[in-house]
Short mmCIF file of all heavy atoms in Angstrom, two decimals:
data_model
loop_
_atom_site.label_atom_id
_atom_site.label_comp_id
_atom_site.label_asym_id
_atom_site.label_seq_id
_atom_site.Cartn_x
_atom_site.Cartn_y
_atom_site.Cartn_z
N MET A 1 3.54 -3.16 -5.66
CA MET A 1 3.07 -2.84 -4.40
C MET A 1 3.95 -3.37 -3.22
O MET A 1 4.49 -4.50 -3.42
CB MET A 1 1.66 -3.25 -4.11
CG MET A 1 1.42 -4.62 -3.89
SD MET A 1 -0.40 -5.16 -3.80
CE MET A 1 -1.00 -4.26 -2.50
N GLN A 2 4.03 -2.66 -2.14
CA GLN A 2 4.94 -3.10 -1.03
C GLN A 2 4.16 -2.76 0.19
O GLN A 2 4.05 -1.69 0.66
CB GLN A 2 6.21 -2.34 -1.03
CG GLN A 2 7.18 -2.65 0.16
CD GLN A 2 7.63 -4.02 0.28
OE1 GLN A 2 8.27 -4.57 -0.64
NE2 GLN A 2 7.40 -4.64 1.53
N PRO A 3 3.66 -3.88 0.91
CA PRO A 3 3.02 -3.66 2.18
C PRO A 3 4.02 -3.32 3.33
O PRO A 3 5.21 -3.91 3.27
CB PRO A 3 2.24 -5.03 2.57
CG PRO A 3 2.90 -5.98 1.69
CD PRO A 3 3.68 -5.28 0.49
N ILE A 4 3.83 -2.43 4.23
CA ILE A 4 4.75 -2.01 5.24
C ILE A 4 4.00 -2.01 6.62
O ILE A 4 2.80 -1.54 6.68
CB ILE A 4 5.23 -0.63 4.96
CG1 ILE A 4 6.01 -0.53 3.70
CG2 ILE A 4 6.03 -0.11 6.18
CD1 ILE A 4 6.19 0.82 3.15
N VAL A 5 4.58 -2.62 7.60
CA VAL A 5 3.98 -2.61 8.96
C VAL A 5 4.84 -1.64 9.86
O VAL A 5 6.08 -1.86 9.84
CB VAL A 5 3.93 -4.00 9.55
CG1 VAL A 5 3.54 -3.91 11.04
CG2 VAL A 5 2.98 -4.93 8.91
N ASN A 6 4.21 -0.63 10.39
CA ASN A 6 4.85 0.13 11.40
C ASN A 6 4.94 -0.57 12.75
O ASN A 6 3.90 -0.70 13.45
CB ASN A 6 4.09 1.49 11.53
CG ASN A 6 4.76 2.41 12.52
OD1 ASN A 6 5.62 2.06 13.26
ND2 ASN A 6 4.51 3.72 12.29
N LYS A 7 5.99 -1.11 13.03
CA LYS A 7 6.27 -2.01 14.16
C LYS A 7 6.12 -1.29 15.47
O LYS A 7 5.95 -1.80 16.58
CB LYS A 7 7.53 -2.79 14.24
CG LYS A 7 7.47 -3.87 13.09
CD LYS A 7 8.64 -4.76 13.32
CE LYS A 7 8.75 -5.83 12.16
NZ LYS A 7 9.79 -6.80 12.46
N GLU A 8 6.36 0.11 15.53
CA GLU A 8 6.14 0.85 16.69
C GLU A 8 4.69 0.89 17.10
O GLU A 8 4.47 0.99 18.37
CB GLU A 8 6.59 2.34 16.38
CG GLU A 8 7.92 2.55 15.68
CD GLU A 8 9.01 2.77 16.73
OE1 GLU A 8 8.89 3.61 17.58
OE2 GLU A 8 9.98 1.96 16.65
N ILE A 9 3.86 0.67 16.14
CA ILE A 9 2.40 0.87 16.52
C ILE A 9 1.77 -0.53 16.69
O ILE A 9 0.91 -0.77 17.44
CB ILE A 9 1.74 1.59 15.49
CG1 ILE A 9 2.32 3.08 15.29
CG2 ILE A 9 0.18 1.82 15.87
CD1 ILE A 9 1.85 3.94 14.26
N CYS A 10 2.33 -1.56 15.81
CA CYS A 10 1.59 -2.90 15.91
C CYS A 10 1.58 -3.58 17.29
O CYS A 10 2.46 -3.39 18.10
CB CYS A 10 2.47 -3.93 14.95
SG CYS A 10 2.05 -5.46 15.02
N ILE A 11 0.39 -4.11 17.58
CA ILE A 11 0.24 -4.68 18.90
C ILE A 11 0.21 -6.17 18.85
O ILE A 11 -0.03 -6.87 19.75
CB ILE A 11 -1.11 -4.20 19.55
CG1 ILE A 11 -2.36 -4.41 18.50
CG2 ILE A 11 -1.11 -2.72 19.85
CD1 ILE A 11 -3.65 -4.22 19.23
N GLY A 12 0.60 -6.73 17.67
CA GLY A 12 0.76 -8.09 17.44
C GLY A 12 -0.53 -9.01 17.61
O GLY A 12 -0.55 -10.09 17.99
N CYS A 13 -1.66 -8.39 17.29
CA CYS A 13 -3.04 -8.95 17.43
C CYS A 13 -3.20 -10.23 16.54
O CYS A 13 -4.01 -11.16 16.79
CB CYS A 13 -4.11 -8.05 17.25
SG CYS A 13 -4.38 -7.47 15.58
N GLY A 14 -2.50 -10.26 15.41
CA GLY A 14 -2.59 -11.46 14.49
C GLY A 14 -3.60 -11.39 13.42
O GLY A 14 -3.83 -12.26 12.64
N THR A 15 -4.34 -10.29 13.41
CA THR A 15 -5.45 -10.18 12.49
C THR A 15 -4.90 -10.21 11.09
O THR A 15 -5.54 -10.92 10.19
CB THR A 15 -6.28 -8.84 12.69
OG1 THR A 15 -6.80 -8.80 14.04
CG2 THR A 15 -7.39 -8.71 11.67
N CYS A 16 -3.89 -9.53 10.84
CA CYS A 16 -3.27 -9.49 9.43
C CYS A 16 -2.80 -10.90 9.10
O CYS A 16 -3.09 -11.39 7.87
CB CYS A 16 -2.10 -8.56 9.22
SG CYS A 16 -0.91 -8.75 10.52
N GLU A 17 -2.26 -11.59 9.94
CA GLU A 17 -1.73 -13.01 9.57
C GLU A 17 -2.90 -13.91 9.41
O GLU A 17 -2.84 -14.74 8.50
CB GLU A 17 -0.89 -13.42 10.81
CG GLU A 17 -0.23 -14.82 10.50
CD GLU A 17 0.65 -15.37 11.69
OE1 GLU A 17 0.15 -15.23 12.89
OE2 GLU A 17 1.72 -15.93 11.30
N GLY A 18 -4.06 -13.60 10.18
CA GLY A 18 -5.14 -14.45 9.99
C GLY A 18 -5.74 -14.27 8.54
O GLY A 18 -6.20 -15.21 7.96
N ILE A 19 -5.74 -13.12 8.02
CA ILE A 19 -6.34 -12.78 6.79
C ILE A 19 -5.35 -13.11 5.73
O ILE A 19 -5.79 -13.77 4.60
CB ILE A 19 -6.63 -11.15 6.59
CG1 ILE A 19 -7.67 -10.83 7.61
CG2 ILE A 19 -6.90 -10.82 5.24
CD1 ILE A 19 -8.02 -9.41 7.77
N CYS A 20 -4.00 -12.92 5.90
CA CYS A 20 -3.10 -13.20 4.66
C CYS A 20 -1.84 -13.81 5.37
O CYS A 20 -0.72 -13.04 5.36
CB CYS A 20 -2.87 -11.93 3.90
SG CYS A 20 -1.96 -12.38 2.40
N PRO A 21 -1.84 -14.90 5.74
CA PRO A 21 -0.61 -15.59 6.35
C PRO A 21 0.56 -15.69 5.34
O PRO A 21 1.72 -15.84 5.77
CB PRO A 21 -1.08 -17.05 6.69
CG PRO A 21 -2.25 -17.37 5.96
CD PRO A 21 -2.91 -16.00 5.62
N GLU A 22 0.27 -15.54 3.96
CA GLU A 22 1.34 -15.60 3.04
C GLU A 22 2.30 -14.43 3.20
O GLU A 22 3.49 -14.38 2.96
CB GLU A 22 0.82 -15.70 1.62
CG GLU A 22 0.00 -16.98 1.37
CD GLU A 22 -1.56 -16.70 1.74
OE1 GLU A 22 -1.93 -15.83 2.36
OE2 GLU A 22 -2.28 -17.67 1.30
N VAL A 23 1.58 -13.29 3.64
CA VAL A 23 2.43 -12.11 3.59
C VAL A 23 2.78 -11.69 5.01
O VAL A 23 3.90 -11.02 5.27
CB VAL A 23 1.64 -11.01 2.79
CG1 VAL A 23 2.19 -9.59 3.06
CG2 VAL A 23 1.42 -11.27 1.34
N PHE A 24 1.90 -11.80 5.92
CA PHE A 24 2.20 -11.33 7.29
C PHE A 24 2.43 -12.45 8.37
O PHE A 24 1.65 -13.46 8.34
CB PHE A 24 0.95 -10.52 7.85
CG PHE A 24 0.49 -9.35 6.94
CD1 PHE A 24 -0.49 -9.42 6.03
CD2 PHE A 24 1.26 -8.16 6.96
CE1 PHE A 24 -0.83 -8.26 5.17
CE2 PHE A 24 0.97 -7.00 6.16
CZ PHE A 24 -0.03 -7.16 5.30
N LYS A 25 3.39 -12.28 9.13
CA LYS A 25 3.69 -13.38 10.10
C LYS A 25 4.12 -12.68 11.40
O LYS A 25 4.81 -11.69 11.45
CB LYS A 25 4.88 -14.16 9.59
CG LYS A 25 5.17 -15.44 10.33
CD LYS A 25 6.17 -16.20 9.40
CE LYS A 25 6.81 -17.51 10.17
NZ LYS A 25 6.42 -17.97 11.36
N ILE A 26 3.47 -13.18 12.49
CA ILE A 26 3.77 -12.62 13.85
C ILE A 26 5.09 -13.19 14.30
O ILE A 26 5.22 -14.45 14.49
CB ILE A 26 2.70 -12.85 14.92
CG1 ILE A 26 1.30 -12.39 14.38
CG2 ILE A 26 3.09 -12.09 16.23
CD1 ILE A 26 1.24 -10.95 14.07
N VAL A 27 6.06 -12.28 14.47
CA VAL A 27 7.46 -12.69 15.02
C VAL A 27 7.71 -11.85 16.14
O VAL A 27 7.68 -10.61 16.16
CB VAL A 27 8.57 -12.53 13.89
CG1 VAL A 27 9.86 -12.91 14.45
CG2 VAL A 27 8.20 -13.31 12.61
N ASP A 28 8.04 -12.54 17.36
CA ASP A 28 8.35 -11.80 18.63
C ASP A 28 7.16 -10.67 18.87
O ASP A 28 7.54 -9.63 19.21
CB ASP A 28 9.66 -11.06 18.44
CG ASP A 28 10.76 -12.19 18.48
OD1 ASP A 28 10.57 -13.28 18.96
OD2 ASP A 28 11.80 -11.84 17.91
N GLY A 29 6.00 -11.13 18.64
CA GLY A 29 4.84 -10.21 19.05
C GLY A 29 4.63 -9.04 18.08
O GLY A 29 3.78 -8.19 18.46
N LYS A 30 5.18 -9.09 16.94
CA LYS A 30 4.95 -8.07 16.00
C LYS A 30 4.87 -8.62 14.56
O LYS A 30 5.38 -9.63 14.29
CB LYS A 30 6.21 -7.04 15.84
CG LYS A 30 6.47 -6.31 17.12
CD LYS A 30 5.61 -5.11 17.48
CE LYS A 30 5.91 -4.52 18.80
NZ LYS A 30 5.12 -3.45 19.12
N SER A 31 3.99 -7.95 13.71
CA SER A 31 3.72 -8.51 12.35
C SER A 31 4.97 -8.18 11.48
O SER A 31 5.46 -7.06 11.47
CB SER A 31 2.56 -7.91 11.81
OG SER A 31 2.38 -8.25 10.47
N GLU A 32 5.55 -9.20 10.88
CA GLU A 32 6.60 -9.00 9.95
C GLU A 32 6.04 -9.25 8.47
O GLU A 32 5.55 -10.31 8.30
CB GLU A 32 7.68 -9.88 10.37
CG GLU A 32 9.00 -9.59 10.12
CD GLU A 32 10.20 -10.27 10.85
OE1 GLU A 32 10.44 -11.35 10.51
OE2 GLU A 32 10.66 -9.64 11.84
N VAL A 33 6.44 -8.41 7.52
CA VAL A 33 6.10 -8.63 6.12
C VAL A 33 7.04 -9.66 5.58
O VAL A 33 8.25 -9.40 5.66
CB VAL A 33 6.09 -7.32 5.49
CG1 VAL A 33 5.79 -7.59 3.89
CG2 VAL A 33 5.07 -6.41 5.98
N GLN A 34 6.55 -10.70 5.02
CA GLN A 34 7.41 -11.63 4.42
C GLN A 34 7.93 -11.15 3.08
O GLN A 34 7.22 -10.57 2.26
CB GLN A 34 6.67 -13.02 4.21
CG GLN A 34 6.07 -13.53 5.40
CD GLN A 34 7.09 -13.77 6.51
OE1 GLN A 34 8.04 -14.70 6.40
NE2 GLN A 34 7.04 -13.03 7.59
N LYS A 35 9.30 -11.32 2.86
CA LYS A 35 9.80 -10.79 1.58
C LYS A 35 9.38 -11.59 0.38
O LYS A 35 9.47 -12.85 0.35
CB LYS A 35 11.31 -10.78 1.70
CG LYS A 35 11.78 -9.64 2.59
CD LYS A 35 13.25 -9.48 2.50
CE LYS A 35 13.88 -8.34 3.36
NZ LYS A 35 13.33 -8.43 4.70
N MET A 36 8.83 -10.93 -0.62
CA MET A 36 8.69 -11.67 -1.91
C MET A 36 8.76 -10.73 -3.04
O MET A 36 8.67 -9.50 -2.89
CB MET A 36 7.26 -12.29 -1.78
CG MET A 36 6.11 -11.42 -1.57
SD MET A 36 4.50 -12.30 -1.65
CE MET A 36 4.60 -13.20 -0.08
N ALA A 37 9.12 -11.25 -4.20
CA ALA A 37 9.29 -10.48 -5.35
C ALA A 37 8.01 -9.69 -5.79
O ALA A 37 8.13 -8.53 -6.23
CB ALA A 37 9.83 -11.31 -6.53
N ASP A 38 6.95 -10.24 -5.63
CA ASP A 38 5.72 -9.59 -6.25
C ASP A 38 4.51 -9.81 -5.25
O ASP A 38 4.14 -11.01 -5.10
CB ASP A 38 5.42 -10.24 -7.58
CG ASP A 38 4.30 -9.54 -8.31
OD1 ASP A 38 3.82 -8.54 -7.74
OD2 ASP A 38 3.98 -9.94 -9.44
N TYR A 39 3.94 -8.78 -4.69
CA TYR A 39 2.81 -8.94 -3.85
C TYR A 39 1.48 -8.90 -4.43
O TYR A 39 0.46 -9.04 -3.74
CB TYR A 39 2.92 -7.86 -2.73
CG TYR A 39 4.11 -8.02 -1.73
CD1 TYR A 39 5.25 -7.34 -2.03
CD2 TYR A 39 3.98 -8.84 -0.64
CE1 TYR A 39 6.33 -7.40 -1.16
CE2 TYR A 39 5.08 -8.95 0.27
CZ TYR A 39 6.26 -8.20 -0.14
OH TYR A 39 7.35 -8.40 0.78
N THR A 40 1.50 -8.60 -5.66
CA THR A 40 0.28 -8.39 -6.33
C THR A 40 -0.75 -9.48 -6.33
O THR A 40 -2.02 -9.29 -6.27
CB THR A 40 0.32 -7.92 -7.87
OG1 THR A 40 1.19 -8.80 -8.51
CG2 THR A 40 1.02 -6.52 -7.99
N ALA A 41 -0.29 -10.78 -6.31
CA ALA A 41 -1.18 -11.96 -6.24
C ALA A 41 -2.01 -11.87 -4.86
O ALA A 41 -2.98 -12.46 -4.80
CB ALA A 41 -0.40 -13.19 -6.31
N TYR A 42 -1.44 -11.18 -3.85
CA TYR A 42 -2.16 -11.11 -2.56
C TYR A 42 -2.87 -9.78 -2.42
O TYR A 42 -3.17 -9.47 -1.24
CB TYR A 42 -1.27 -11.53 -1.45
CG TYR A 42 -0.60 -12.86 -1.62
CD1 TYR A 42 0.72 -12.99 -1.89
CD2 TYR A 42 -1.41 -13.94 -1.55
CE1 TYR A 42 1.20 -14.32 -2.06
CE2 TYR A 42 -0.83 -15.24 -1.62
CZ TYR A 42 0.41 -15.35 -1.95
OH TYR A 42 1.02 -16.58 -2.12
N ALA A 43 -2.89 -8.95 -3.35
CA ALA A 43 -3.32 -7.45 -3.28
C ALA A 43 -4.67 -7.38 -2.53
O ALA A 43 -4.81 -6.58 -1.58
CB ALA A 43 -3.30 -6.79 -4.65
N ASP A 44 -5.65 -8.16 -2.81
CA ASP A 44 -6.90 -8.02 -2.16
C ASP A 44 -6.84 -8.38 -0.79
O ASP A 44 -7.43 -7.64 0.10
CB ASP A 44 -7.87 -9.03 -2.91
CG ASP A 44 -8.34 -8.46 -4.21
OD1 ASP A 44 -8.02 -7.32 -4.58
OD2 ASP A 44 -8.98 -9.31 -5.04
N LYS A 45 -6.09 -9.47 -0.37
CA LYS A 45 -6.05 -9.81 1.04
C LYS A 45 -5.16 -8.87 1.77
O LYS A 45 -5.47 -8.59 2.96
CB LYS A 45 -5.40 -11.20 1.23
CG LYS A 45 -6.35 -12.32 0.71
CD LYS A 45 -6.23 -13.65 1.48
CE LYS A 45 -4.95 -14.39 0.78
NZ LYS A 45 -4.77 -15.69 1.51
N ILE A 46 -4.14 -8.24 1.13
CA ILE A 46 -3.35 -7.22 1.82
C ILE A 46 -4.24 -6.04 2.17
O ILE A 46 -4.10 -5.47 3.25
CB ILE A 46 -2.16 -6.84 0.95
CG1 ILE A 46 -1.20 -8.03 0.85
CG2 ILE A 46 -1.42 -5.57 1.50
CD1 ILE A 46 -0.06 -7.96 -0.22
N LYS A 47 -5.01 -5.65 1.12
CA LYS A 47 -5.94 -4.42 1.36
C LYS A 47 -6.96 -4.77 2.53
O LYS A 47 -7.35 -3.88 3.30
CB LYS A 47 -6.68 -4.13 0.06
CG LYS A 47 -5.72 -3.29 -0.79
CD LYS A 47 -6.42 -3.06 -2.25
CE LYS A 47 -5.36 -2.68 -3.22
NZ LYS A 47 -5.83 -2.74 -4.63
N GLN A 48 -7.33 -6.06 2.57
CA GLN A 48 -8.30 -6.36 3.69
C GLN A 48 -7.66 -6.23 4.99
O GLN A 48 -8.20 -5.83 6.00
CB GLN A 48 -8.76 -7.88 3.43
CG GLN A 48 -9.99 -8.08 2.66
CD GLN A 48 -10.28 -9.55 2.62
OE1 GLN A 48 -10.23 -10.34 3.53
NE2 GLN A 48 -10.54 -10.09 1.33
N ALA A 49 -6.30 -6.68 4.99
CA ALA A 49 -5.53 -6.58 6.28
C ALA A 49 -5.35 -5.14 6.73
O ALA A 49 -5.51 -4.77 7.81
CB ALA A 49 -4.17 -7.31 6.14
N VAL A 50 -5.09 -4.29 5.74
CA VAL A 50 -4.99 -2.80 5.97
C VAL A 50 -6.14 -2.27 6.67
O VAL A 50 -6.17 -1.65 7.80
CB VAL A 50 -4.62 -2.00 4.73
CG1 VAL A 50 -4.73 -0.56 4.96
CG2 VAL A 50 -3.29 -2.40 4.16
N GLU A 51 -7.36 -2.63 6.22
CA GLU A 51 -8.69 -2.24 6.70
C GLU A 51 -8.99 -2.87 8.00
O GLU A 51 -9.61 -2.17 9.01
CB GLU A 51 -9.77 -2.47 5.70
CG GLU A 51 -9.70 -1.45 4.61
CD GLU A 51 -10.80 -1.72 3.54
OE1 GLU A 51 -11.77 -2.34 3.80
OE2 GLU A 51 -10.52 -1.25 2.41
N ALA A 52 -8.48 -4.07 8.21
CA ALA A 52 -8.94 -4.78 9.43
C ALA A 52 -7.92 -4.49 10.63
O ALA A 52 -8.31 -4.76 11.72
CB ALA A 52 -8.91 -6.27 9.15
N CYS A 53 -6.75 -4.00 10.37
CA CYS A 53 -5.79 -3.66 11.49
C CYS A 53 -6.31 -2.78 12.52
O CYS A 53 -6.78 -1.69 12.05
CB CYS A 53 -4.49 -3.28 10.92
SG CYS A 53 -3.37 -2.77 12.18
N PRO A 54 -6.49 -3.19 13.77
CA PRO A 54 -7.18 -2.25 14.66
C PRO A 54 -6.42 -1.02 15.00
O PRO A 54 -7.03 -0.10 15.58
CB PRO A 54 -7.33 -3.24 15.92
CG PRO A 54 -6.29 -4.16 15.71
CD PRO A 54 -6.05 -4.39 14.25
N VAL A 55 -5.22 -1.00 14.74
CA VAL A 55 -4.39 0.28 14.95
C VAL A 55 -3.84 0.88 13.74
O VAL A 55 -3.05 1.85 13.81
CB VAL A 55 -3.22 -0.06 16.02
CG1 VAL A 55 -3.71 -0.43 17.44
CG2 VAL A 55 -2.28 -1.06 15.48
N GLN A 56 -4.36 0.45 12.63
CA GLN A 56 -3.99 1.15 11.31
C GLN A 56 -2.55 1.26 11.07
O GLN A 56 -2.01 2.43 10.69
CB GLN A 56 -4.79 2.47 11.15
CG GLN A 56 -6.12 2.31 10.69
CD GLN A 56 -7.10 2.94 11.83
OE1 GLN A 56 -6.92 4.06 12.28
NE2 GLN A 56 -8.21 2.24 12.25
N CYS A 57 -1.76 0.23 11.32
CA CYS A 57 -0.35 0.33 11.20
C CYS A 57 0.23 -0.25 9.99
O CYS A 57 1.49 -0.31 9.78
CB CYS A 57 0.39 -0.10 12.48
SG CYS A 57 0.23 -1.85 12.69
N ILE A 58 -0.65 -0.77 9.06
CA ILE A 58 -0.17 -1.33 7.83
C ILE A 58 -0.51 -0.31 6.67
O ILE A 58 -1.63 0.16 6.60
CB ILE A 58 -0.93 -2.78 7.49
CG1 ILE A 58 -0.94 -3.59 8.64
CG2 ILE A 58 -0.26 -3.33 6.22
CD1 ILE A 58 -1.92 -4.90 8.50
N SER A 59 0.54 -0.09 5.91
CA SER A 59 0.29 0.85 4.69
C SER A 59 0.81 0.09 3.44
O SER A 59 1.56 -1.01 3.60
CB SER A 59 0.98 2.05 4.98
OG SER A 59 2.37 1.84 5.22
N ILE A 60 0.49 0.62 2.45
CA ILE A 60 0.92 0.05 1.02
C ILE A 60 1.59 1.20 0.31
O ILE A 60 1.13 2.18 0.18
CB ILE A 60 -0.24 -0.49 0.29
CG1 ILE A 60 -0.99 -1.55 0.99
CG2 ILE A 60 0.14 -0.96 -1.01
CD1 ILE A 60 -2.36 -2.05 0.43
N GLU A 61 2.95 0.85 -0.04
CA GLU A 61 3.66 1.64 -0.90
C GLU A 61 3.48 1.20 -2.35
O GLU A 61 3.66 0.10 -2.62
CB GLU A 61 5.10 1.65 -0.55
CG GLU A 61 5.77 3.01 -0.70
CD GLU A 61 7.17 2.89 0.04
OE1 GLU A 61 8.02 2.15 -0.47
OE2 GLU A 61 7.23 3.58 1.21
N GLU A 62 3.21 2.16 -3.26
CA GLU A 62 2.84 1.72 -4.59
C GLU A 62 4.26 1.50 -5.25
O GLU A 62 5.15 2.01 -5.08
CB GLU A 62 2.04 2.70 -5.46
CG GLU A 62 0.62 2.94 -4.76
CD GLU A 62 -0.17 1.62 -4.65
OE1 GLU A 62 0.02 0.76 -5.51
OE2 GLU A 62 -0.92 1.49 -3.73
S1 LIG B 101 -3.40 -6.46 12.33
FE1 LIG B 101 -2.12 -4.66 12.68
S2 LIG B 101 -1.83 -4.75 14.96
FE2 LIG B 101 -2.55 -6.69 14.39
S3 LIG B 101 -0.68 -7.86 14.14
FE3 LIG B 101 -1.21 -7.08 12.09
S4 LIG B 101 -0.21 -5.14 11.89
FE4 LIG B 101 -0.04 -5.70 14.03
#
């Protein structure tokens, strides 16, 4: 799995970082996906972040 943030839409609210700081980090007011070889260890938290994002700009590519 590969989480993707659409930075055009992200408002930098920090919700995703609050849920899964290992994967999402706010940089210059936008959420940035941290690079890692395997995201599956954080799959549940990533899915929570997808659902919690107020502007629905996080998606997951399988
Ligand atoms: S929850 Fe959504 S809008 Fe908020 S910082 Fe994360 S990606 Fe951006």
Side-chain angles (χ1 to χ4, degrees):
M1 72 188 299
Q2 171 68 54
I4 296 163
V5 170
N6 184 337
K7 290 195 185 182
E8 308 271 307
I9 303 172
C10 173
I11 55 171
C13 70
T15 302
C16 53
E17 186 180 39
I19 293 169
C20 191
E22 298 87 348
V23 172
F24 302 100
K25 189 169 172 8
I26 305 300
V27 179
D28 294 334
K30 302 279 178 178
S31 175
E32 211 163 74
V33 175
Q34 304 303 292
K35 286 191 174 52
M36 57 177 75
D38 186 3
Y39 292 93
T40 53
Y42 301 110
D44 286 349
K45 288 208 282 184
I46 291 168
K47 284 174 192 162
Q48 273 179 43
V50 169
E51 283 176 23
C53 175
V55 293
Q56 280 119 46
C57 69
I58 310 171
S59 56
I60 298 172
E61 214 167 68
E62 298 304 328

